[in-house]
Each structure stands twice: as C-alpha cells, then as structure tokens.
Amino acid sequence: MLRYNTTMKSKKTITILLLWLTAVVAQAQQFTLSGKVTDADGNAIELATVSCLEQGAVTMANLKGEYSLKLHSADSVVIKFSMVGYQTRTRVLRRPRGNQRLLISLQSMKALDEVVVTERRRQTTATEQLDTKNLKQTPSTTGNAVEELVQQQAGVSTHNELSSQYNVRGGSFDENSVYINNVEVYRPLLIRSGQQEGLSVINSDMVEKIGFSSGGFEAKYGDKMSSALDIQYRKPTRWEGNVQASLLGGSVFLGYGNKKFSMSHGLRYKTNRYLLGSLETKGEYKPNFLDYQTYITFSPNERWNIDFIGNISENHYNFSPSDRETSFGTMENVKSFKVYFDGQEKDIFRTLFGTLRIQRNFTSKTKASLLFSAFHTKEQETYDIQGQYWLDDTQTQEQLGVGTYMEHARNYLKANVMSLKLMGNHKSGHHDIEGAVTMKWEKIEEQAREYEMRDSSGYSIPHSANRLDLIYSLASSNKLSSTRFEAYLQDTYRFQSHGEKPWYFTLNYGVRVAHWSYNKETIASPRISLAAIPSFNEDMTFRLSAGLYYQAPFYKEARDTSTVNGTTNVTLNEKIKSQRSIHIVGAFDYRFHMMKRPFRFSAEAYYKILNNLIPYNVQNMKVVYYGKNMASGHAFGLDLKLFGEFVPGTDSWITFSVMSTKQKINGVSVPLPTDQRWGVNLHFTDNFPGTERWKMTLRLAFADGLPFGAPHRGLEYQQFRAPAYKRADIGMSYLLLGSASQKPTIRKPRIWLGIDGLNIFGISNVNSYYWVTDVTNHQYAVPNYLTGRQINGRVLVEF
C-alpha cells in the first residue's frame, strides 16, 4: 500500500513538472510585437490595421499610430500593415522572441503608379463612400450611372426608371443636395417627366469618389432636408480614354495628366427613343440629349492649385403622339381606354455650368480655397395635344365614357445663379477643422401659360349653365432677384479612452447659418455626430447623429397660387419660410468574414420631426408646391444593408427599408406623397464559372407604391395607393480584347461587349394616372405605365 502511494505521488509530481515545462516552452514561443505606423512625412496613421493572418490575430493602431500585438513565434511570422488610402506593406519576422519593436512607414496611394485596395474605409461619419469601379458594367436606362448607384442604396427610392431623381427617407426630389468638388450644382426647373430628362451634370468617367449621406450629415453640406451627395472628380496621371456606344446613346472620354497639369474631356449623347418605343402611348419620339464637360487642373508648385470645371448641356425633347390603348382593372372587371391624338410637344433645356477654384496650401496642414461658380439655364416647354378617348367595359361592351381633351402649354424660364465661396481647412493634432463663407446671387424669370379643356359626352367639365370653363388654367409672370449668405464651421475630433483596451471615437460637430434677402429669414443649423469603435470588438462601429436641418426655399417653393374666375394665377410668396427637420439617427456597422470573404452589415434607425412644411403634389416627375408653410409631420424608419463579396472579387449588396410618414394639413393627417412603406433592392455581380472574361450584373427593385388621388384636389383627398414598383434588369459583359486583371500601369486597350435585359420580366409599372370623368361624374383612374421589356446592346473600348 505504501509503495502504491509512493508511485501515485511520483506520477503526480511528473505531471506537474510536465505542465510547468509546457507553460515555460509556450511562454518562450510567444512574443510581443509593438511599434508605430506613420506616413512618408512621419505623421501617425490612425486606426491602421496590423494583422497576422496565419495566427488569426489582428489589432488597430491607436490615434498616435502605436500598436501592440501578442503572437506565437515560428520560423517565419508574416505581419501585414494596411490602411485605406495607403499601400499595404508586409514584413516577415524570422524566429522572433521576447519584445519586438517595428516602425512602419506606409506610402500614400497618390504616390503610386499601381494601386491595390485591400480593405474598405470604415464609416465613422454619416457619409458612406460608394465604390465606383463597376459603373460601366451595370445595366442602365438613364445613362446617369452615379445616380442609378445612389438609387440602390438603403433608404433611397425611385419609381421611374426613366429618371435619375430619387427620394430619400420620405423627402421630395428637391430635398437632395449635390456637390461636385465642394460646389453645389442645380438641375433644370421645368422637368415634369422622365422622358424629358437628359444627362445629369455628373459625368461618371470623371468621378473619383462618391460620398452619400441619407441623413444626419455634416454642417458643410447645404440647406436641404433629406440627403447629401458629394462628388470628387479625379485627376488623370497619364493618357487614358474610353469610347462607349449603345442603343441608348454613347460617350467619349479623354484624359491626360502629369505632376503639374491634368485635363479631362467628356462628350456624351443620349437618346431614349428606343426605350420610349415600349410605352403604351405610340407616336414619333425624338429625344436628343447632348453634353460636354471638361475638368482642368494646374499646380505650378506645392503651394498653389488651380482647377476649372465647365459643362454645356443641350436637351431636346420632341414628341408627336398618335394613339394609345390601355387595359386596366381586375381580372373580373377589365376596362379599356383608347385615345387618338393630334398635336405635338417641343421642349428645350439648355444649361451652362462652370466652377473655378484657386487653392493656397500654406502648410501641409493648412489650406484655403476661393471658389467661383455660375449656373445658367434656359428652358422652354411647349405643347398642344388633343386627344379623343373612349372608355369601355370589356365584358359588357358598355361605353362608360367618351370625350375630347385639349392640353396647351407655353412655359419659358431663365435662371442664373452665381456664387463666391471662401473655404479653409486646418489640421491640428486630432482635430480637422473646416469652414467656409459663401455669397450667392440668384435671378429667375418665368413666363408660363397652361390650360386643359375636357369635353365629356357633349359638355365641358366642369359644367356650368351660363359659361364655358376649363378644368385647369394657369398663368404665371414672375421675376425673382435675391442674394443668399451662407457660412459653416465644423470640427472632426478623433480621440480614445484610457486603458489597455481603449475605445476609439470620432466626433463631428458644427453649425451652419444662412440668410435669404427675399424673405429676410436667417436660419442656424447645429449638427453633431459621434462614432465609437468598442474595445471588445474592433469590427463593430456604433454611430449616433442629430441635427437641425432646413430646406431653404427656392423659386419653386415660393410659387403661391390663387384662383379667380377659373384661372389660377401664380405669385411669389415673400413670407415663405424654410421647412425644418430635426434628424435623430442611430446606426450600427459590423465587419465580418464569411466563406473567407469580407462582408459588412449596416443598420440605421432614424426619426425626423418635420415643421413648417410646404405641401406639394407629385405628378410624374413634376413637383408642385402649395406656396405656403401650412403643415407639420414626421418620418421614421429602419434601413438595413448587407454588403460584401458574395462572389470573390465582386461587390454585391442587398438592402431592406421600412418607413412611415405623416403630415397634418388643415387638421387632416395624411401620408407624405413619397410615403414608401417598404422597399427591397438587390445588386448582385458574378463571374461566369472558369473565366474572368464574362461578368454578370443583376439589379432587382421591389418597393411599395406611393399615395395618389384625383388631380386638382388637396392632399387630404389622396386616399389611394399605387401598385408596388417591381423591376429586374440584368447585364452581361464579355471581355473581347485585353486582360480582366490588367494592372493600372499597363496601357493595353480593352474591348468589352455587353448586352442588357431591361425589365426582363416585362412588368407594367405605374408611373401616374390620367383621370376620366363620365356623365354621372364618376371618375376613373387610368394608369400611365412605364417602359416594357427591352434589350440593349453596348460596346466599350478602353485605352
């Protein structure tokens, strides 16, 4: 028994000794790697990623660029240092032991001939950076690739594939600000349909960066209530160009650059004649849209930068309708609407836009810019169209309505907007301070005359016993000359908490003020946002933003109407005030790997308190305001987005949004005209198996229909909702010449052949309604459908 106990004690002692030796060996095999990550000038690179993929270890540098990482020793340990905007570096450590210190300098991408992006920038503000690399391989109906990319984001909706306009979280088309190189841009004012829309001022061939915010954006973005789109043009570094042609138009781009000088020239042509041929209204469509744009930069030395953007756009829309036949209703109750037309429409939209910027770099951290911009538009909308219609019940052959209508318009508008902006930036420690002062001069002239006559079954509508009245008549003769003063100041402050495992924070705060001479209103708009990266999981980011946002009235919002003897007269309301919205946005981002590929999940919940609203009606793409601040309301919802490489080397995403909006007008609570209660968007890209020469892009949109009601009545009577908008587009591209993985420094030409299936399921989406009244004063809403199924072929030559 004694021998047994002695044996057991010996075994226990040996076990303890082995465990101790194992711990000593394991401790000897571990080492600590620390150091600092800087740029070429020795400045710390904040939040740089330091990783050892073989051991699954990763950390981030703090706000001083310092890092520390515990690893296991081996014959060779590979360490990777990466940060968006810098070249990724890799170092190999041979049999490391104890404490190792490694100082790494990363080179900026601007100094590289070849750029390889290894990770995506973490979003620490309300502005998301959108990828631009696949804009030309995506099926397109408008030719405006940037806006179509924005339309697929969470919280953004569109119900018209012919238009590049979009709604954001319940806002109208006019509530979205757009900037190109820090200058706000405008669009034509008389556009009333997607058929009339030409090419937007954004040329996708020139775009380097796209920043988009759907709410809670910074003070530097102007006085709009819904969203901000920030476009930065790129500077070519050598000769480059491309030529693209399709059944919907074509484009030519040519660029050149060196260390001191760069230039970009883009010529675009668009005709949606082929696409409009699928509409139910048949006739002779002659839309022609032409656009030229240039971007020139000159840097004589490191202290001075001068750049210029010029744009000329000429849009013509000519249309002579012949006939139309529409069937609508339910399976048990089908109605047929037939119209024979006479007359034509001729529209011209001519716009000029230019900016000149002179920038002085006092130091590497301080700079000032003087920006001058000018916008001119001359618009003409004229039509005389007569239609004779029959409305029948297809089952009983009963004639429900018969009549004639006549539509007339002579609308002319000229607008000039000039601005002078002084802008400054200064970086000090962890602060990035930015501010600007802007003066704008506006001059707008409008001459408009519209009317519509309806003769139903022998009498005019509205019917009067002793006179002939028109159902709609409008007259406008107005001029507006005014000045605006705008200024903002904001700071982005990056800091961290104390302790071994700190939290990392990004705080943006600022204020914006503005004054409009026309209504003598001064507004102040404070805004703040905070992003936090927690210590317990560096792949997570929490964001919270809030602010007071104003929609400063422009010419359209100030147009007030009064009806006398059946004629609606337009005057300008000098007492119009800015619409107001308080944004509260909470967001969560999570980066993860699935199937060994990177993904990102984002969720944003928002609540908007709306006051001083100017109610409006939407007919097709035309927004008509009441001209008075007479409503209040709210909008709240949730936006979800899953983004990643579902297929290696390609970008795909799916979004889901839910929203509820209300506004109170004259004591009646109704939804906003853009109340899209839910929406789903899918953008999926793939390569054909076994080859990189074939690429496929699929776009799906499924969104709730919008509220509507009978025309020339108040929003209080919009008791109907249009059917859901459903659309699927697919594009396939084949690389006929060149390499799909061609390096940027190689200048060999590439030729892409593509074919797009537009609305591949042939779904009849409703754009708007034409209302027919029978002799019993019963109204029928006849749907105006959008485009049908079409095939588009395209060719792209890059050199």
Side-chain angles (χ1 to χ4, degrees):
M1 186 69 180
L2 180 61
R3 182 180 178 182
Y4 174 79
N5 291 336
T6 303
T7 303
M8 290 295 295
K9 290 181 179 179
S10 300
K11 289 182 177 181
K12 188 176 295 184
T13 302
I14 293 172
T15 301
I16 294 173
L17 182 61
L18 290 174
L19 291 174
W20 179 79
L21 289 173
T22 301
V24 170
V25 171
Q27 184 69 25
Q29 290 178 344
Q30 285 187 343
F31 72 98
T32 301
L33 178 65
S34 61
K36 187 174 183 179
V37 184
T38 62
D39 59 17
D41 298 325
N43 300 314
I45 298 180
E46 305 168 354
L47 306 180
T49 300
V50 183
S51 62
C52 179
L53 299 181
E54 291 86 352
Q55 300 184 23
V58 62
T59 189
M60 286 192 310
N62 61 20
L63 298 182
K64 297 179 181 180
E66 299 170 344
Y67 67 91
S68 179
L69 191 63
K70 289 187 176 182
L71 300 167
H72 295 286
S73 182
D75 289 341
S76 63
V77 179
V78 181
I79 310 296
K80 187 172 74 170
F81 300 84
S82 61
M83 181 63 183
V84 173
Y86 295 87
Q87 181 188 24
T88 298
R89 290 195 63 182
T90 301
R91 294 294 298 269
V92 180
L93 306 179
R94 302 296 181 183
R95 298 184 182 88
R97 296 286 189 275
N99 295 322
Q100 301 283 325
R101 184 165 178 81
L102 192 58
L103 304 179
I104 290 293
S105 176
L106 300 184
Q107 190 175 9
S108 173
M109 283 184 176
K110 294 181 179 179
L112 302 176
D113 290 330
E114 178 181 345
V115 176
V116 179
V117 179
T118 58
E119 65 177 57
R120 299 187 182 277
R121 182 181 297 274
R122 184 190 298 267
Q123 183 178 345
T124 56
T125 66
T127 302
E128 179 185 5
Q129 296 298 316
L130 306 181
D131 203 328
T132 64
K133 67 180 181 180
N134 292 319
L135 289 179
K136 287 193 171 296
Q137 270 76 42
T138 303
S140 173
T141 54
T142 67
N144 301 315
V146 173
E147 286 87 346
E148 290 183 336
L149 177 64
V150 172
Q151 289 173 353
Q152 299 175 72
Q153 303 307 309
V156 183
S157 64
T158 180
H159 289 76
N160 190 337
E161 65 272 7
L162 293 172
S163 173
S164 60
Q165 300 304 312
Y166 49 87
N167 307 113
V168 180
R169 293 178 176 173
S172 73
F173 307 130
D174 299 323
E175 295 178 19
N176 307 311
S177 60
V178 180
Y179 288 80
I180 297 180
N181 288 11
N182 299 313
V183 175
E184 188 173 9
V185 298
Y186 301 86
R187 67 186 185 96
L189 301 176
L190 291 183
I191 294 290
R192 61 180 174 84
S193 70
Q195 292 92 314
Q196 296 173 310
E197 274 198 34
L199 293 156
S200 80
V201 69
I202 304 172
N203 189 322
S204 58
D205 287 319
M206 299 182 178
V207 173
E208 179 182 34
K209 296 180 181 179
I210 303 175
F212 178 71
S213 175
S214 54
F217 39 89
E218 304 162 50
K220 68 178 181 179
Y221 299 120
D223 299 307
K224 302 286 187 181
M225 288 200 303
S226 290
S227 75
L229 178 62
D230 189 354
I231 303 295
Q232 294 293 323
Y233 277 180
R234 63 186 178 89
K235 301 177 182 179
T237 58
R238 60 184 184 275
W239 281 107
E240 62 176 271
N242 65 68
V243 178
Q244 182 172 359
S246 75
L247 297 177
L248 301 179
S251 65
V252 178
F253 169 76
L254 183 64
Y256 169 76
N258 54 36
K259 291 184 179 180
K260 290 189 175 183
F261 174 78
S262 73
M263 63 177 181
S264 300
H265 303 278
L267 181 66
R268 297 179 293 170
Y269 172 74
K270 169 187 169 183
T271 174
N272 51 12
R273 182 177 184 178
Y274 170 68
L275 202 60
L276 298 179
S278 64
L279 298 176
E280 290 189 335
T281 300
K282 306 302 179 183
E284 187 176 7
Y285 291 92
K286 291 183 179 180
N288 296 286
F289 312 116
L290 187 64
D291 169 275
Y292 168 74
Q293 192 162 158
T294 184
Y295 176 44
I296 300 173
T297 70
F298 177 58
S299 302
N301 51 53
E302 294 182 354
R303 296 298 185 189
W304 293 96
N305 301 99
I306 303 171
D307 59 57
F308 169 77
I309 297 176
N311 176 254
I312 302 173
S313 178
E314 182 88 6
N315 299 330
H316 292 256
Y317 177 72
N318 298 328
F319 174 45
S320 298
S322 59
D323 63 89
R324 163 187 175 175
E325 183 171 355
T326 302
S327 296
F328 65 100
T330 62
M331 294 293 292
E332 296 79 17
N333 186 12
V334 180
K335 305 289 190 303
S336 175
F337 181 66
K338 297 180 182 179
V339 188
Y340 294 97
F341 296 101
D342 186 22
Q344 63 179 342
E345 176 177 354
K346 289 187 176 182
D347 305 328
I348 300 175
F349 302 91
R350 183 179 295 115
T351 60
L352 305 173
F353 172 72
T355 71
L356 176 65
R357 181 181 67 170
I358 302 174
Q359 179 175 299
R360 166 70 173 177
N361 301 315
F362 296 99
T363 66
S364 60
K365 297 182 179 181
T366 304
K367 60 184 178 181
S369 303
L370 184 65
L371 301 95
F372 173 76
S373 69
F375 169 79
H376 168 78
T377 180
K378 185 176 182 180
E379 305 173 25
Q380 169 186 311
E381 182 186 41
T382 62
Y383 55 82
D384 286 285
I385 296 177
Q386 176 179 286
Q388 296 179 329
Y389 65 84
W390 288 262
L391 178 64
D392 301 323
D393 190 315
T394 59
Q395 293 180 333
T396 64
Q397 303 302 316
E398 178 185 0
Q399 193 173 80
L400 302 175
V402 59
T404 301
Y405 69 87
M406 174 76 178
E407 294 179 340
H408 166 91
R410 294 292 185 272
N411 298 331
Y412 305 93
L413 183 140
K414 290 193 299 184
N416 295 283
V417 180
M418 293 187 297
S419 70
L420 187 64
K421 182 176 184 179
L422 179 61
M423 182 177 177
N425 301 82
H426 176 68
K427 293 183 179 181
S428 175
H430 300 309
H431 294 269
D432 189 349
I433 304 170
E434 178 181 326
V437 177
T438 306
M439 285 295 298
K440 292 182 179 180
W441 297 268
E442 303 166 349
K443 185 175 182 180
I444 303 173
E445 300 179 10
E446 180 195 25
Q447 296 289 334
R449 188 72 174 94
E450 300 178 4
Y451 67 78
E452 179 180 355
M453 182 273 292
R454 291 191 190 179
D455 182 6
S456 179
S457 296
Y459 68 91
S460 178
I461 298 176
H463 179 63
S464 178
N466 53 12
R467 70 166 186 254
L468 180 65
D469 289 330
L470 300 172
I471 192 171
Y472 168 69
S473 178
L474 179 141
S476 176
S477 178
N478 291 290
K479 294 182 180 181
L480 173 63
S481 295
S482 63
T483 58
R484 294 180 193 265
F485 169 80
E486 299 174 358
Y488 73 88
L489 181 66
Q490 69 174 42
D491 176 31
T492 301
Y493 174 45
R494 295 177 175 86
F495 61 98
Q496 66 185 60
S497 63
H498 299 288
E500 293 185 2
K501 295 184 177 180
W503 283 51
Y504 299 98
F505 298 93
T506 300
L507 175 65
N508 178 276
Y509 56 97
V511 63
R512 185 179 187 89
V513 296
H515 177 80
W516 192 27
S517 65
Y518 185 73
N519 62 358
K520 299 177 177 58
E521 179 189 32
T522 301
I523 54 178
S525 174
R527 306 171 188 180
I528 187 171
S529 68
L530 177 67
I533 302 173
S535 59
F536 57 83
N537 193 329
E538 294 177 343
D539 290 321
M540 292 183 178
T541 306
F542 298 96
R543 290 183 285 113
L544 181 66
S545 59
L548 178 60
Y549 296 83
Y550 286 94
Q551 178 79 17
F554 199 56
Y555 180 78
K556 290 169 63 176
E557 290 95 323
R559 295 173 82 246
D560 195 5
T561 57
S562 59
T563 303
V564 180
N565 295 328
T567 299
T568 301
N569 296 293
V570 178
T571 57
L572 299 182
N573 183 4
E574 294 183 358
K575 297 181 180 180
I576 196 75
K577 299 298 181 183
S578 298
Q579 302 177 83
R580 186 174 63 205
S581 175
I582 299 176
H583 290 198
I584 303 173
V585 183
F588 168 75
D589 297 330
Y590 178 55
R591 303 189 303 177
F592 62 97
H593 281 75
M594 183 171 61
M595 300 176 292
K596 298 182 179 180
R597 293 191 287 273
F599 286 85
R600 185 182 76 244
F601 172 75
S602 301
E604 288 195 7
Y606 60 91
Y607 189 88
K608 298 197 291 188
I609 304 172
L610 309 174
N611 292 291
N612 287 342
L613 293 182
I614 307 172
Y616 60 89
N617 284 295
V618 180
Q619 183 69 10
N620 201 328
M621 303 304 298
K622 186 177 182 179
V623 180
V624 180
Y625 291 89
Y626 279 40
K628 299 182 180 69
N629 302 93
M630 52 184 297
S632 61
H634 68 263
F636 65 89
L638 176 67
D639 295 330
L640 306 176
K641 180 179 181 180
L642 178 63
F643 178 96
E645 296 184 6
F646 292 90
V647 177
T650 65
D651 293 338
S652 301
W653 63 86
I654 184 172
T655 68
F656 175 71
S657 302
V658 292
M659 180 181 68
S660 175
T661 69
K662 291 291 184 181
Q663 64 176 338
K664 182 172 286 188
I665 308 173
N666 299 325
V668 179
S669 181
V670 296
L672 288 170
T674 54
D675 180 54
Q676 179 182 285
R677 296 173 297 186
W678 51 266
V680 180
N681 283 298
L682 171 68
H683 183 102
F684 181 77
T685 55
D686 194 2
N687 296 322
F688 279 54
T691 179
E692 292 185 350
R693 289 188 172 272
W694 280 98
K695 289 187 177 182
M696 184 275 294
T697 302
L698 175 65
R699 289 173 39 182
L700 299 177
F702 186 25
D704 185 32
L706 302 179
F708 74 96
H712 313 304
R713 303 185 69 184
L715 291 171
E716 306 93 318
Y717 301 97
Q718 288 196 349
Q719 303 172 355
F720 309 100
R721 189 172 287 269
Y725 181 84
K726 297 168 286 216
R727 186 176 176 88
D729 298 327
I730 186 170
M732 288 179 286
S733 300
Y734 175 70
L735 183 60
L736 181 66
L737 178 66
S739 172
S741 56
Q742 180 171 288
K743 295 181 180 180
T745 51
I746 299 176
R747 304 180 184 180
K748 292 182 179 180
R750 297 196 299 182
I751 300 178
W752 291 90
L753 300 180
I755 185 170
D756 299 334
L758 306 175
N759 193 9
I760 56 176
F761 297 125
I763 299 172
S764 297
N765 288 304
V766 177
N767 178 32
S768 58
Y769 290 87
Y770 182 78
W771 290 79
V772 177
T773 306
D774 62 16
V775 293
T776 63
N777 206 30
H778 185 79
Q779 290 186 312
Y780 297 88
V782 182
N784 297 316
Y785 292 112
L786 287 163
T787 59
R789 183 189 295 111
Q790 294 287 84
I791 300 296
N792 180 37
R794 49 186 167 82
V795 59
L796 171 64
V797 180
E798 299 174 325
F799 53 89

